[in-house]
């Protein structure tokens, strides 16, 4: 049985989720990574080993399947002996204008981004309540809660919904010493963002006062703090990590 604190990250096979997992592992946490992708464990084990990080527990599960998430949490408990930190990070961001948006696309994005967040937290509740310092960290976005962007009205709606869930969940879990917070990233350089194309990346970079895109390490640093016992008096908060992107009054940088 592990004596370390244990963290589980959904959508941890790549991008921000993988960065969270590596940051927590570097900070001494035992890490379980959940992804619906097939065959990701061998690749992650190699990447962790290259960074001299402990081997993560890699689990295949779909966050939209509540029984599957219950099984995943049970496996984490059996493997590590407990669960202290849950990073509800799994999410998708397909682009579609309002005219193009189909019922199927809408159902898919709400199932993964919203229901998946709730199912992940629900499945982990029994273990979080037993932890001496339970933590829930949700990956939201600046898009939806604070800003908007053409083609992502459905995505923005899911990210705002996550914050509505966060606030009430924080109230329900506070008596157990479990905090619930969200991170609102701006544009973070990941595989998904790179796939948007060089024009999109250049345009977003111009809109950021710090003149650079964020890195997964920028998110990982905040995750490590929120997961720690030092952050125990912070709950129900959404914290922006965007290099100042939401600050300018003028839209000139994006033109």
């Amino acid at each position: 049985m592990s004596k370390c604190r244990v963290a589980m990250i959904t959508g941890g096979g790549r991008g921000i989720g993988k960065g969270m997992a590596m940051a927590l592992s570097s900070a001494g946490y035992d890490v379980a990574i959940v992804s619906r992708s097939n065959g990701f464990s061998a690749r992650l084990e190699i990447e962790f080993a290259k960074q001299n990080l402990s081997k993560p527990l890699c689990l295949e599960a779909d966050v939209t399947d509540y029984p599957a998430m219950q099984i995943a949490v049970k496996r984490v408990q059996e493997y590590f002996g407990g669960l202290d930190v849950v990073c509800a990070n799994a999410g998708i961001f397909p682009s579609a204008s309002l005219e193009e948006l189909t019922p199927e696309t809408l159902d898919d994005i709400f199932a993964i981004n919203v229901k998946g967040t709730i199912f992940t937290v629900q499945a982990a509740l029994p273990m979080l309540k037993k932890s001496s310092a339970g933590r829930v960290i949700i990956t939201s976005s600046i898009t939806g809660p604070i800003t908007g962007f053409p083609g992502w009205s459905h995505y923005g709606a899911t990210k705002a919904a996550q914050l509505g869930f966060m606030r009430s969940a924080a109230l329900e879990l506070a008596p157990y010493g479990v905090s619930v917070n969200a991170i609102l990233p701006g544009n973070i350089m990941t595989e998904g963002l790179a796939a948007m194309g060089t024009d999109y990346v250049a345009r977003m970079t111009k809109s950021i006062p710090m003149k650079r895109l964020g890195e997964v390490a920028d998110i990982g640093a905040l995750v490590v703090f929120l997961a720690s016992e030092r952050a125990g008096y912070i709950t129900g908060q959404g914290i922006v990590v965007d290099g100042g992107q939401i600050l300018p009054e003028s839209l000139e940088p994006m033109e």
Side-chain angles (χ1 to χ4, degrees):
M1 181 178 295
S2 171
K3 294 182 180 180
C4 298
R5 281 172 61 76
V6 179
M8 181 181 79
I9 302 93
T10 64
R14 61 176 188 155
I16 288 176
K18 184 177 73 174
M20 290 177 169
M22 287 187 156
L24 287 164
S25 182
S26 295
Y29 288 74
D30 285 327
V31 168
I33 297 173
V34 178
S35 175
R36 65 176 181 175
S37 302
N38 293 323
F40 72 100
S41 59
R43 171 177 55 82
L44 283 189
E45 287 173 9
I46 292 172
E47 292 185 43
F48 271 63
K50 285 182 178 179
Q51 299 295 323
N52 294 317
L53 300 175
S54 298
K55 179 181 175 180
L57 172 66
C58 295
L59 304 172
E60 291 182 16
D62 187 339
V63 295
T64 68
D65 184 341
Y66 181 53
M69 291 309 299
Q70 289 180 303
I71 292 171
V73 169
K74 183 178 180 181
R75 290 188 61 188
V76 173
Q77 179 186 4
E78 291 172 346
Y79 192 85
F80 290 123
L83 178 59
D84 305 287
V85 180
V86 171
C87 298
N89 171 75
I92 58 173
F93 52 98
S95 175
S97 69
L98 281 173
E99 292 180 340
E100 300 168 331
L101 191 57
T102 66
E104 292 77 17
T105 300
L106 199 58
D107 287 344
D108 285 346
I109 197 167
F110 270 87
I112 294 173
N113 293 8
V114 182
K115 289 174 66 176
T117 295
I118 296 171
F119 287 166
T120 298
V121 175
Q122 282 184 312
L125 277 182
M127 296 308 302
L128 290 173
K129 288 180 178 179
K130 292 179 180 179
S131 172
S132 61
R135 302 283 183 264
V136 174
I137 304 169
I138 298 168
T139 304
S140 181
S141 174
I142 62 171
T143 305
I146 301 174
T147 67
F149 200 89
W152 275 279
S153 60
H154 53 321
Y155 171 78
T158 66
K159 296 287 117 176
Q162 285 179 315
L163 295 192
F165 165 74
M166 172 198 73
R167 294 184 183 101
S168 292
L171 290 173
E172 289 190 29
L173 298 183
Y176 302 97
V178 178
S179 69
V180 186
N181 293 293
I183 297 175
L184 282 62
N187 282 277
I188 307 300
M189 196 62 201
T190 63
E191 302 95 327
L193 191 140
M196 302 295 295
T198 55
D199 289 345
Y200 178 85
V201 171
R203 189 160 38 130
M204 289 299 99
T205 302
K206 287 182 180 179
S207 73
I208 300 170
M210 287 189 170
K211 298 303 179 186
R212 71 170 179 89
L213 297 180
E215 301 175 358
V216 293
D218 296 318
I219 306 300
L222 179 55
V223 167
V224 170
F225 171 68
L226 290 175
S228 72
E229 296 191 25
R230 294 174 297 166
Y233 204 56
I234 301 171
T235 195
Q237 302 303 307
I239 302 175
V240 173
V241 183
D242 73 342
Q245 184 175 341
I246 65 172
L247 298 177
E249 293 184 11
S250 171
L251 296 179
E252 183 180 355
M254 292 186 62
E255 292 177 353

